[in-house]
């Protein structure tokens, strides 16, 4: 009924009842029409009070009803696993919105967007996260005292959102759409960037489960494929819903000859583990290196040191070791079970180019120019100098020979060698032939010594990092004496050099350009330019081999080349791309190419555990009327005043 008609009817009924009572039911005394008017007014207020406006209407900016809608990627999933996959959780949310008819809707995901009901009906889910707390803060700032939360329950900051609602005094009533299904998925794949042909490699996988625990399988199969071939498989126990477990797949890297290749390795789950097939496959590109040498030892001033150092390098360096000894100017001897004389340095430089570690033994002032150039540019260098002077490729210079006999000193300094020789009795070791002082900066000291086993300590080895890479340098000669004695002394020799070689060779990646971020649907590619690069051009090709982005970079003359700058690339859509880099490093041209996959695998699509409904005090349905207006109170109070006035007036004129 229209408010105007109701008010007119209420006034007519009130006038008729009051007039009839005082005209026919009461004594006809003078002044009786005054109380009659008060009774008519009281009856009118009682009958029409709900239709009268409140004295303080709500602010126009405060919506009567507020809904907070989840628009993350998980809302694209089927609302019910048993129903058609075309009916999504967002479809169910839209039906619920039509029933509630809120005046304002806040859509949340990566960010918060305020919209109307009509805009919410056409919104598409695409957010990669479900962050609810900012949406609750926005609703509270707009004046809402309670909200409906429409979501599938997969909220990233549920605890933080609950604390935010309680801090703001905001009522929240969660209305959940969608039925969770039992799922097992792959969360993260950790694979090496580069492996060597013929070696064994490992890929770590994080398995995550979600949905009802009773419906999850006990185990699932993990399978590793290289192209169409299955190269590894194992079964892993399924974790509890919401938890993760890490499993490792090991495989033998096939031989590729001497050429480096990029191979795509894909990890998949057994069929049926993820009914939605959203997190059952993950892959990674791995560069498979050809046959290469682990270490190369070049001795320009032979003594007993190469005799013991080369076998140790052959055991400690991944890929073995090759040794070369200078016989005379232009003639070299390749060491090994079948030594051979080399005329020229071509074979030696080829071995150094593919080696992970370059060890040089000899007089610093008598190094050939080509070998000095390799020492200054190779990313991993072990130097055993026999003369004083600056060490190429390092910030260290050796001084004159220190007098006295120098013995290793305990305790062993912390570092990569500590665990290998810390328990050894260093008192059994003979002294070095001689020791020099090292001037300049270094990062750590593998081992220190004292003159005649007492007095001030001096480093027997120094190590550090430079623009070209890592380096380690001996400050003395005669380490071979430890290996020659055998027993504990030989163990210290092996442990010292093994620790140094291990530190030098770890994270070895001789690349003028390193890909830091492969990007995703919302991220950018990023590269770090390696030390020694002078000119660089980067080109990004799409799947049709068309160039879609390029950039050039050149090192400045102010030391910029030593800063290893980072180049920011484009943000690419989902797909497969190729990166081509070409330029010049240390006066030598280079070119390499690698594939890159930009994947859209947000955490929103991973299996999640079921969570309790989020609910706080003051539900939205209880705070206001269905028409959005406040109930007026003043008419009923005024009616009481009129009735009291009528009673007093009646007694003044003699009526009971």
């Amino acid at each position: 009924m229209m408010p105007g008609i109701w008010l007119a009817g209420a006034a007519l009924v009130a006038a008729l009842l009051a007039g009839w009572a005082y005209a026919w039911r009461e004594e006809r005394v003078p002044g009786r029409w005054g109380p009659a008017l008060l009774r008519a007014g009281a009856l009118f207020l009682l009958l029409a009070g709900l239709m009268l406006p409140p004295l303080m209407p709500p602010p126009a900016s405060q919506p009567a009803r507020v809904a907070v809608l989840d628009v993350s990627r998980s809302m694209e999933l089927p609302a019910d696993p048993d129903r058609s996959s075309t009916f999504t959780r967002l479809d169910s949310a839209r039906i619920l919105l039509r029933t509630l008819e809120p005046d304002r809707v806040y859509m949340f995901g990566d960010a918060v967007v305020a919209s109307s009901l009509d805009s919410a009906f056409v919104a598409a889910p695409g957010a990669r996260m479900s962050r609810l707390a900012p949406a609750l803060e926005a609703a509270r700032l707009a004046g809402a005292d309670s909200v409906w939360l429409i979501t599938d329950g997969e909220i990233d900051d549920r605890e933080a959102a609950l604390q935010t609602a309680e801090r703001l005094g905001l009522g929240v009533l969660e209305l959940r759409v969608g039925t969770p299904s039992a799922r097992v998925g792959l969360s993260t794949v950790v694979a090496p960037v580069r492996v060597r042909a013929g070696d064994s490699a490992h890929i770590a996988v994080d398995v995550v489960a979600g949905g009802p625990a009773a419906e999850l399988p006990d185990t699932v199969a993990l399978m590793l494929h290289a192209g169409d071939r299955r190269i590894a498989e194992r079964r892993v126990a399924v974790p509890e819903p919401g938890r993760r477990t890490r499993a490792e797949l090991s495989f033998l890297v096939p031989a590729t000859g001497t050429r480096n290749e990029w191979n795509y390795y894909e990890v998949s789950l057994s069929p049926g583990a993820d009914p939605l097939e959203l997190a059952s496959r993950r892959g990674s590109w791995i560069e498979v290196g050809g046959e290469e040498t682990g270490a190369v030892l070049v001795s320009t001033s032979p003594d007993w040191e190469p005799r013991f150092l080369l076998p140790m390098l052959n055991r400690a360096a991944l890929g073995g070791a090759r040794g070369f000894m200078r016989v005379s100017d232009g003639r070299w001897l390749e060491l090994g079970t079948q030594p051979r004389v080399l005329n020229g340095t071509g074979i030696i430089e080829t071995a150094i180019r593919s080696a992970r570690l370059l060890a040089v033994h000899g007089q610093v002032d008598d190094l050939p120019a080509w070998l000095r150039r390799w020492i200054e540019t190779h990313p991993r260098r072990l130097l055993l100098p026999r003369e004083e002077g600056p060490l190429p490729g390092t910030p260290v210079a050796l001084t004159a020979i220190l007098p006295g006999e120098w013995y290793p000193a305990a305790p062993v300094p912390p570092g990569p060698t500590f665990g290998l020789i810390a328990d050894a009795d260093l008192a059994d070791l003979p002294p070095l032939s001689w020791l020099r002082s090292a001037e300049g900066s270094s990062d750590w000291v593998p081992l220190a010594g004292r003159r005649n086993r007492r007095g001030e300590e001096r480093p027997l080895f120094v190590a550090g990092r430079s623009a070209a890479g890592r380096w380690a340098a001996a400050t003395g000669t005669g380490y071979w004496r430890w290996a020659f004695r055998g027993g504990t002394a030989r163990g210290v020799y092996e442990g010292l050099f093994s620790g140094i070689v291990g530190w030098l060779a770890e994270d070895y990646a001789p690349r003028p350009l390193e890909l830091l971020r492969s990007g995703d649907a919302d991220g950018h590619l990023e590269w770090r330019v390696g030390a020694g690069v002078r000119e660089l051009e980067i080109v990004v090709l799409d799947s049709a081999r068309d160039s879609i982005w390029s950039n050039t970079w050149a090192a400045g003359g102010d030391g910029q080349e030593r800063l290893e700058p980072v180049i920011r690339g484009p943000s690419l859509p989902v797909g497969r791309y190729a990166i081509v880099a070409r330029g010049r490093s240390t006066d030598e041209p280079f070119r390499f190419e690698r594939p890159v996959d930009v994947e859209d695998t947000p955490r929103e699509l991973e299996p999640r555990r079921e969570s309790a409904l989020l609910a706080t005090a003051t539900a939205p349905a209880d705070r206001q009327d269905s028409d959005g207006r406040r109930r007026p109170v003043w008419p009923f109070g005024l009616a009481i005043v009129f009735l009291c006035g009528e009673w007093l007036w009646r007694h003044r004129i003699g009526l009971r």
Side-chain angles (χ1 to χ4, degrees), residues 70-89:
D70 187 353
V71 289
S72 62
R73 287 288 304 276
S74 62
M75 295 292 283
E76 293 180 324
L77 303 180
D80 190 337
D82 298 330
R83 296 180 60 179
S84 171
S85 60
T86 58
F87 186 80
T88 65
R89 299 173 180 178

Side-chain angles (χ1 to χ4, degrees), residues 371-381 393 468-469 531-532 586:
L371 184 56
R372 181 179 292 271
R373 185 175 67 251
W374 276 112
I375 295 175
E376 293 174 347
T377 59
H378 198 281
R380 301 292 188 265
R381 293 148 292 156
T586 61

Side-chain angles (χ1 to χ4, degrees), residues 74-75 77-81 87-93 150-154 175-181 610:
S74 62
M75 295 292 283
L77 303 180
D80 190 337
F87 186 80
T88 65
R89 299 173 180 178
L90 186 61
D91 294 331
S92 179
I150 304 176
T151 177
D152 57 0
E154 298 183 1
L175 305 176
R176 188 164 296 182
V177 295
T179 303
S181 59
E610 294 182 279

